Amino acid sequence: MANPNTPSYHPTSKPLKPNNTFFSWKSTNLYSLVVFLCIISYLLGSWQNSLPKIPTNYNLDTTKCITQNKTEIDFNPHHNLNDSDIEISISNTHKTYPSCNVIYSEYTPCEDANRSLRFERDRLIYRERHCPEKSEILKCRIPAPYGYKNPFSWPTSRDLAWYANVPHKELTVEKAVQNWIRHEGDKFRFPGGGTMFPHGADAYIDNIAKLINLNDGSIRTAIDTGCGVASWGAYLLSRNIMAMSFAPRDTHEAQVQFALERGVPALIGIIASKRIPYPSRAFDMAHCSRCLIPWGKYGGQYLIEVDRVLRPGGYWILSGPPIHWKKYFKGWLRTEEDLNSEQTTIENVAKSLCWKKVAEEGDIAIWQKPINHLNCKVNRKLNQNVPFCPAQDTDKAWYTEMETCLTPLPQVSNNQEIAGGELAKWPERLYAIPPRISRGTVKGVTAEIFQQDVELWKKRVSNYKNVNSQLGQAGRYRNVLDMNAYLGGFAAALIDYPLWVMNVVPAEAKVNTLGVIYERGLIGTYQNWCEAMSTYPRTYDLIHADSVFSLYQGRCEMEDILLEMDRILRPEGSVIFRDDVDNVIMIKNIIDGMDWESQIVDHEDGPHQREKLLFAVKKYWTAPSDQEGSKNVN
């Protein structure tokens, strides 16, 4: 960086005037002076033409720095907009984006209750993703509810949330005896209970740990289907197990929203007719605690989908109906015959998948998926079990129909070999070469490229902290989104902070790397950023967008992606964009109209890189109070 006392260079600035005393020779006549000046002019002109030319046909409007930096950064332009094929018109006027009506404060575009009624109720298809048509997309900013406050920092947030942020008391009444949630003045308290663990998730997890090993690092990623307020996932975090919690937007109002307010990874989702948006062999453990999913119906298709996303040797845990039905059938208001039939069906589906039941104790039953399919293929020839699926992309899971066939595991040479390769235990797993890469199944990604990516993101995140010092402050950010995660390097570089990262691999990405991210012990999902994400407004504290707008150039409107980012970002949340300079300027032009504060920063490798960084902060604002709203109406 230049000395702060040195004037910053601008391509349109004029050179300093030469010292007049240099020419004050009293003995020099006019002719000599003219000749001398001509020679100097010629030499200066030759020297100037030998220098690289710096374009000067645009200026950047930069706002005040959003962080307290001791060094000054050169924010002046270093590239010509005409270097790309995009034609850009920079204007001092910006399109402004008004606030949406307060009725949209919890709007989830692709899980809208009114739109869902247009679709089939069979198999709960109407609760799957159904996104608005282009003409239905809102062009306004979703307001936070009046009185919204920044969430509590982790780990306090595991137990407390502000009532104003999620003003719904329904679960406090409906689940009062099950210790899900309590309303206490201006706060909600989460005692850690659940339908099948009213004495707390910690005690329940302890019971699971007596049946399978949760402490040696072999189990790192988990999925909780029908998660409630995600207490199971919340309490697993202290054991270094990262759970992806998901549940539909249904009669249990705001359950996923509560999970996110607590700082627990969660998405809106349902197992219905489409594959859930995760790659094959992603999770070490899957869990259902009275999740009300009909596992035995439709030819066992839902359990077959769990098998697809379970890693070889992974566990499926079931508590609640029909497990231990002889004790609970009266309380469940179901007949013994009905519950016995349901459990028998589940047992048969599990056997057809070659799962082994490893435990059933008290209210908990656990099955284990085989480490390979050698014996399964032999048994399948002898028995009329679920057939293997034909050759297909087993990781494809964005609007992909589920099938009633078993996803085959990668080939092995013997019974002891783990299909797809053995994973290192956590935390070594984070930086070990993922098996998908070492086996050459990820196109264009080698072990060397992986290791380079690790070092690259350590460098980049270090630079981010120099610009935004809050990134290095534990507790400032909890819920983080990486919109184009590639190999998960950004998340890995933040692993020592008390936060979690939702790593998104866009459905349009050239290479599907989400399986690699899970093999590293991180979590994520697929997403098309031309559509809304399956989450509530104000989900994330920090969003990272690396080359997202280059990827979606020509696919959809930039402003729609940015308005979606505004929807899912908390008030006073931060965004780090990195993209081509042309895109960065267009992004800044739009977010200025969204009333964000922003600052363009040069690439960490210097100002002559086309890629630029844009640091932005969403200002705090909320819907008006009821009184203010009524005044405005009148």
Side-chain angles (χ1 to χ4, degrees), residues 417-437:
E417 185 180 350
I418 298 175
E422 185 174 3
L423 295 174
K425 293 182 178 180
W426 184 263
E428 291 77 13
R429 179 172 167 177
L430 182 64
Y431 293 115
I433 305 298
R436 276 175 164 89
I437 291 177

PDB file of all heavy atoms in Angstrom, residues 417-437:
ATOM      1  N   GLU A 417     -13.717 -54.110   1.201  1.00  0.00           N
ATOM      2  CA  GLU A 417     -13.452 -52.792   0.614  1.00  0.00           C
ATOM      3  C   GLU A 417     -14.684 -51.895   0.711  1.00  0.00           C
ATOM      4  O   GLU A 417     -15.809 -52.322   0.446  1.00  0.00           O
ATOM      5  CB  GLU A 417     -13.041 -52.951  -0.851  1.00  0.00           C
ATOM      6  CG  GLU A 417     -12.630 -51.634  -1.505  1.00  0.00           C
ATOM      7  CD  GLU A 417     -12.228 -51.811  -2.961  1.00  0.00           C
ATOM      8  OE1 GLU A 417     -12.088 -52.976  -3.414  1.00  0.00           O
ATOM      9  OE2 GLU A 417     -12.071 -50.795  -3.665  1.00  0.00           O
ATOM     10  N   ILE A 418     -14.459 -50.657   1.100  1.00  0.00           N
ATOM     11  CA  ILE A 418     -15.549 -49.684   1.201  1.00  0.00           C
ATOM     12  C   ILE A 418     -15.799 -49.065  -0.169  1.00  0.00           C
ATOM     13  O   ILE A 418     -14.888 -48.493  -0.778  1.00  0.00           O
ATOM     14  CB  ILE A 418     -15.227 -48.591   2.234  1.00  0.00           C
ATOM     15  CG1 ILE A 418     -15.059 -49.216   3.629  1.00  0.00           C
ATOM     16  CG2 ILE A 418     -16.314 -47.514   2.252  1.00  0.00           C
ATOM     17  CD1 ILE A 418     -14.628 -48.226   4.689  1.00  0.00           C
ATOM     18  N   ALA A 419     -17.015 -49.203  -0.642  1.00  0.00           N
ATOM     19  CA  ALA A 419     -17.362 -48.678  -1.970  1.00  0.00           C
ATOM     20  C   ALA A 419     -17.150 -47.173  -2.018  1.00  0.00           C
ATOM     21  O   ALA A 419     -17.570 -46.440  -1.120  1.00  0.00           O
ATOM     22  CB  ALA A 419     -18.817 -49.017  -2.296  1.00  0.00           C
ATOM     23  N   GLY A 420     -16.477 -46.731  -3.067  1.00  0.00           N
ATOM     24  CA  GLY A 420     -16.231 -45.304  -3.232  1.00  0.00           C
ATOM     25  C   GLY A 420     -15.031 -44.788  -2.482  1.00  0.00           C
ATOM     26  O   GLY A 420     -14.642 -43.631  -2.656  1.00  0.00           O
ATOM     27  N   GLY A 421     -14.418 -45.638  -1.635  1.00  0.00           N
ATOM     28  CA  GLY A 421     -13.227 -45.218  -0.896  1.00  0.00           C
ATOM     29  C   GLY A 421     -13.522 -44.906   0.557  1.00  0.00           C
ATOM     30  O   GLY A 421     -14.603 -44.435   0.908  1.00  0.00           O
ATOM     31  N   GLU A 422     -12.542 -45.172   1.399  1.00  0.00           N
ATOM     32  CA  GLU A 422     -12.698 -44.935   2.838  1.00  0.00           C
ATOM     33  C   GLU A 422     -12.442 -43.471   3.164  1.00  0.00           C
ATOM     34  O   GLU A 422     -11.512 -42.847   2.645  1.00  0.00           O
ATOM     35  CB  GLU A 422     -11.728 -45.811   3.624  1.00  0.00           C
ATOM     36  CG  GLU A 422     -11.898 -45.722   5.131  1.00  0.00           C
ATOM     37  CD  GLU A 422     -11.029 -46.717   5.885  1.00  0.00           C
ATOM     38  OE1 GLU A 422     -10.256 -47.432   5.218  1.00  0.00           O
ATOM     39  OE2 GLU A 422     -11.131 -46.770   7.130  1.00  0.00           O
ATOM     40  N   LEU A 423     -13.274 -42.916   4.037  1.00  0.00           N
ATOM     41  CA  LEU A 423     -13.118 -41.527   4.463  1.00  0.00           C
ATOM     42  C   LEU A 423     -12.256 -41.451   5.710  1.00  0.00           C
ATOM     43  O   LEU A 423     -12.365 -42.288   6.606  1.00  0.00           O
ATOM     44  CB  LEU A 423     -14.485 -40.902   4.762  1.00  0.00           C
ATOM     45  CG  LEU A 423     -15.453 -40.755   3.586  1.00  0.00           C
ATOM     46  CD1 LEU A 423     -16.804 -40.258   4.085  1.00  0.00           C
ATOM     47  CD2 LEU A 423     -14.893 -39.799   2.542  1.00  0.00           C
ATOM     48  N   ALA A 424     -11.408 -40.432   5.778  1.00  0.00           N
ATOM     49  CA  ALA A 424     -10.653 -40.185   7.000  1.00  0.00           C
ATOM     50  C   ALA A 424     -11.619 -39.725   8.092  1.00  0.00           C
ATOM     51  O   ALA A 424     -12.706 -39.231   7.810  1.00  0.00           O
ATOM     52  CB  ALA A 424      -9.590 -39.117   6.751  1.00  0.00           C
ATOM     53  N   LYS A 425     -11.238 -39.886   9.340  1.00  0.00           N
ATOM     54  CA  LYS A 425     -12.074 -39.438  10.446  1.00  0.00           C
ATOM     55  C   LYS A 425     -11.910 -37.932  10.643  1.00  0.00           C
ATOM     56  O   LYS A 425     -10.895 -37.343  10.295  1.00  0.00           O
ATOM     57  CB  LYS A 425     -11.703 -40.192  11.721  1.00  0.00           C
ATOM     58  CG  LYS A 425     -12.052 -41.678  11.666  1.00  0.00           C
ATOM     59  CD  LYS A 425     -11.727 -42.394  12.966  1.00  0.00           C
ATOM     60  CE  LYS A 425     -12.137 -43.873  12.887  1.00  0.00           C
ATOM     61  NZ  LYS A 425     -11.817 -44.591  14.143  1.00  0.00           N
ATOM     62  N   TRP A 426     -12.959 -37.341  11.195  1.00  0.00           N
ATOM     63  CA  TRP A 426     -12.914 -35.913  11.475  1.00  0.00           C
ATOM     64  C   TRP A 426     -11.968 -35.655  12.651  1.00  0.00           C
ATOM     65  O   TRP A 426     -11.962 -36.420  13.591  1.00  0.00           O
ATOM     66  CB  TRP A 426     -14.327 -35.401  11.806  1.00  0.00           C
ATOM     67  CG  TRP A 426     -14.373 -33.931  12.001  1.00  0.00           C
ATOM     68  CD1 TRP A 426     -14.338 -33.252  13.189  1.00  0.00           C
ATOM     69  CD2 TRP A 426     -14.431 -32.935  10.972  1.00  0.00           C
ATOM     70  NE1 TRP A 426     -14.381 -31.905  12.969  1.00  0.00           N
ATOM     71  CE2 TRP A 426     -14.432 -31.681  11.617  1.00  0.00           C
ATOM     72  CE3 TRP A 426     -14.474 -32.982   9.582  1.00  0.00           C
ATOM     73  CZ2 TRP A 426     -14.487 -30.486  10.908  1.00  0.00           C
ATOM     74  CZ3 TRP A 426     -14.526 -31.796   8.890  1.00  0.00           C
ATOM     75  CH2 TRP A 426     -14.530 -30.564   9.533  1.00  0.00           C
ATOM     76  N   PRO A 427     -11.107 -34.612  12.617  1.00  0.00           N
ATOM     77  CA  PRO A 427     -11.075 -33.509  11.652  1.00  0.00           C
ATOM     78  C   PRO A 427     -10.112 -33.703  10.477  1.00  0.00           C
ATOM     79  O   PRO A 427     -10.034 -32.828   9.611  1.00  0.00           O
ATOM     80  CB  PRO A 427     -10.620 -32.336  12.519  1.00  0.00           C
ATOM     81  CG  PRO A 427      -9.714 -32.954  13.527  1.00  0.00           C
ATOM     82  CD  PRO A 427     -10.291 -34.306  13.822  1.00  0.00           C
ATOM     83  N   GLU A 428      -9.346 -34.809  10.469  1.00  0.00           N
ATOM     84  CA  GLU A 428      -8.411 -35.041   9.357  1.00  0.00           C
ATOM     85  C   GLU A 428      -9.128 -35.045   8.013  1.00  0.00           C
ATOM     86  O   GLU A 428      -8.559 -34.684   6.979  1.00  0.00           O
ATOM     87  CB  GLU A 428      -7.659 -36.357   9.554  1.00  0.00           C
ATOM     88  CG  GLU A 428      -6.663 -36.353  10.705  1.00  0.00           C
ATOM     89  CD  GLU A 428      -7.320 -36.490  12.069  1.00  0.00           C
ATOM     90  OE1 GLU A 428      -8.537 -36.846  12.102  1.00  0.00           O
ATOM     91  OE2 GLU A 428      -6.649 -36.244  13.093  1.00  0.00           O
ATOM     92  N   ARG A 429     -10.375 -35.427   8.051  1.00  0.00           N
ATOM     93  CA  ARG A 429     -11.197 -35.540   6.841  1.00  0.00           C
ATOM     94  C   ARG A 429     -11.279 -34.232   6.052  1.00  0.00           C
ATOM     95  O   ARG A 429     -11.388 -34.235   4.823  1.00  0.00           O
ATOM     96  CB  ARG A 429     -12.592 -35.999   7.284  1.00  0.00           C
ATOM     97  CG  ARG A 429     -13.637 -36.158   6.217  1.00  0.00           C
ATOM     98  CD  ARG A 429     -14.861 -36.805   6.846  1.00  0.00           C
ATOM     99  NE  ARG A 429     -16.026 -36.751   6.007  1.00  0.00           N
ATOM    100  CZ  ARG A 429     -17.203 -37.300   6.323  1.00  0.00           C
ATOM    101  NH1 ARG A 429     -17.337 -37.950   7.465  1.00  0.00           N
ATOM    102  NH2 ARG A 429     -18.232 -37.214   5.504  1.00  0.00           N
ATOM    103  N   LEU A 430     -11.200 -33.106   6.755  1.00  0.00           N
ATOM    104  CA  LEU A 430     -11.382 -31.805   6.109  1.00  0.00           C
ATOM    105  C   LEU A 430     -10.321 -31.547   5.040  1.00  0.00           C
ATOM    106  O   LEU A 430     -10.629 -30.997   3.975  1.00  0.00           O
ATOM    107  CB  LEU A 430     -11.356 -30.694   7.156  1.00  0.00           C
ATOM    108  CG  LEU A 430     -11.572 -29.270   6.641  1.00  0.00           C
ATOM    109  CD1 LEU A 430     -12.973 -29.109   6.044  1.00  0.00           C
ATOM    110  CD2 LEU A 430     -11.362 -28.258   7.769  1.00  0.00           C
ATOM    111  N   TYR A 431      -9.080 -31.942   5.301  1.00  0.00           N
ATOM    112  CA  TYR A 431      -7.988 -31.641   4.369  1.00  0.00           C
ATOM    113  C   TYR A 431      -7.413 -32.869   3.680  1.00  0.00           C
ATOM    114  O   TYR A 431      -6.522 -32.736   2.833  1.00  0.00           O
ATOM    115  CB  TYR A 431      -6.876 -30.883   5.099  1.00  0.00           C
ATOM    116  CG  TYR A 431      -7.311 -29.505   5.541  1.00  0.00           C
ATOM    117  CD1 TYR A 431      -7.397 -29.182   6.892  1.00  0.00           C
ATOM    118  CD2 TYR A 431      -7.673 -28.532   4.606  1.00  0.00           C
ATOM    119  CE1 TYR A 431      -7.818 -27.920   7.294  1.00  0.00           C
ATOM    120  CE2 TYR A 431      -8.099 -27.279   4.996  1.00  0.00           C
ATOM    121  CZ  TYR A 431      -8.164 -26.975   6.342  1.00  0.00           C
ATOM    122  OH  TYR A 431      -8.593 -25.734   6.731  1.00  0.00           O
ATOM    123  N   ALA A 432      -7.921 -34.061   4.015  1.00  0.00           N
ATOM    124  CA  ALA A 432      -7.511 -35.265   3.288  1.00  0.00           C
ATOM    125  C   ALA A 432      -8.058 -35.198   1.860  1.00  0.00           C
ATOM    126  O   ALA A 432      -9.103 -34.588   1.609  1.00  0.00           O
ATOM    127  CB  ALA A 432      -8.034 -36.506   4.000  1.00  0.00           C
ATOM    128  N   ILE A 433      -7.350 -35.830   0.921  1.00  0.00           N
ATOM    129  CA  ILE A 433      -7.834 -35.839  -0.465  1.00  0.00           C
ATOM    130  C   ILE A 433      -9.148 -36.621  -0.516  1.00  0.00           C
ATOM    131  O   ILE A 433      -9.185 -37.805  -0.177  1.00  0.00           O
ATOM    132  CB  ILE A 433      -6.811 -36.496  -1.414  1.00  0.00           C
ATOM    133  CG1 ILE A 433      -5.449 -35.814  -1.296  1.00  0.00           C
ATOM    134  CG2 ILE A 433      -7.315 -36.435  -2.850  1.00  0.00           C
ATOM    135  CD1 ILE A 433      -5.434 -34.363  -1.665  1.00  0.00           C
ATOM    136  N   PRO A 434     -10.253 -36.002  -0.896  1.00  0.00           N
ATOM    137  CA  PRO A 434     -11.533 -36.711  -0.951  1.00  0.00           C
ATOM    138  C   PRO A 434     -11.471 -37.887  -1.931  1.00  0.00           C
ATOM    139  O   PRO A 434     -10.871 -37.770  -3.015  1.00  0.00           O
ATOM    140  CB  PRO A 434     -12.513 -35.637  -1.438  1.00  0.00           C
ATOM    141  CG  PRO A 434     -11.865 -34.342  -1.075  1.00  0.00           C
ATOM    142  CD  PRO A 434     -10.405 -34.574  -1.245  1.00  0.00           C
ATOM    143  N   PRO A 435     -12.063 -39.026  -1.579  1.00  0.00           N
ATOM    144  CA  PRO A 435     -12.015 -40.203  -2.462  1.00  0.00           C
ATOM    145  C   PRO A 435     -12.524 -39.933  -3.879  1.00  0.00           C
ATOM    146  O   PRO A 435     -11.992 -40.492  -4.843  1.00  0.00           O
ATOM    147  CB  PRO A 435     -12.900 -41.218  -1.732  1.00  0.00           C
ATOM    148  CG  PRO A 435     -12.795 -40.844  -0.287  1.00  0.00           C
ATOM    149  CD  PRO A 435     -12.701 -39.345  -0.281  1.00  0.00           C
ATOM    150  N   ARG A 436     -13.534 -39.107  -4.019  1.00  0.00           N
ATOM    151  CA  ARG A 436     -14.033 -38.804  -5.361  1.00  0.00           C
ATOM    152  C   ARG A 436     -12.941 -38.188  -6.231  1.00  0.00           C
ATOM    153  O   ARG A 436     -12.911 -38.390  -7.444  1.00  0.00           O
ATOM    154  CB  ARG A 436     -15.241 -37.861  -5.285  1.00  0.00           C
ATOM    155  CG  ARG A 436     -16.598 -38.551  -5.029  1.00  0.00           C
ATOM    156  CD  ARG A 436     -17.672 -37.497  -4.858  1.00  0.00           C
ATOM    157  NE  ARG A 436     -19.026 -37.994  -4.970  1.00  0.00           N
ATOM    158  CZ  ARG A 436     -19.755 -38.463  -3.977  1.00  0.00           C
ATOM    159  NH1 ARG A 436     -19.218 -38.535  -2.766  1.00  0.00           N
ATOM    160  NH2 ARG A 436     -20.997 -38.885  -4.176  1.00  0.00           N
ATOM    161  N   ILE A 437     -12.046 -37.413  -5.597  1.00  0.00           N
ATOM    162  CA  ILE A 437     -10.952 -36.789  -6.343  1.00  0.00           C
ATOM    163  C   ILE A 437      -9.816 -37.787  -6.555  1.00  0.00           C
ATOM    164  O   ILE A 437      -9.287 -37.909  -7.669  1.00  0.00           O
ATOM    165  CB  ILE A 437     -10.449 -35.536  -5.609  1.00  0.00           C
ATOM    166  CG1 ILE A 437     -11.528 -34.442  -5.657  1.00  0.00           C
ATOM    167  CG2 ILE A 437      -9.150 -35.028  -6.231  1.00  0.00           C
ATOM    168  CD1 ILE A 437     -11.174 -33.180  -4.898  1.00  0.00           C
TER     169      ILE A 437
END
